[in-house]
Amino acid sequence: WDFNNLPKGVHMGIIQNRTYQPVPNETNSDLYISPFDVVICYGILAHDNAAATIRLIEAVDEPTTQFIVHIDAKYETTYEQVKEYASKR
């Protein structure tokens, strides 16, 4: 963004709140990437509830989403359940 040269009627608050969408024919396509090219990686710290961890993964899963799941070593059953779930994805 060129914050010193914003379009007329656009201010920083609109951009910070992510409500501003540039007009497609006024943008330089080299400046923007497709939402399909954005990879989001979630780090999840889990303990004793494998079902909740699996529900969380399924709730935010998209084709370009990756997950790093750490399960506390004291909860081997949770680890095995999440590992089984991951192996079937």
Side-chain angles (χ1 to χ4, degrees), residues 3-21:
F3 296 112
N4 296 319
N5 191 21
L6 295 173
K8 186 176 181 175
V10 176
H11 55 82
M12 283 301 298
I14 293 173
I15 294 171
Q16 289 174 333
N17 293 326
R18 297 179 182 1
T19 56
Y20 171 70
Q21 294 292 319

Side-chain angles (χ1 to χ4, degrees), residues 37-49:
D37 294 332
V38 176
V39 177
I40 298 176
C41 183
Y42 291 95
I44 300 172
L45 176 60
H47 295 280
D48 62 341
N49 194 337

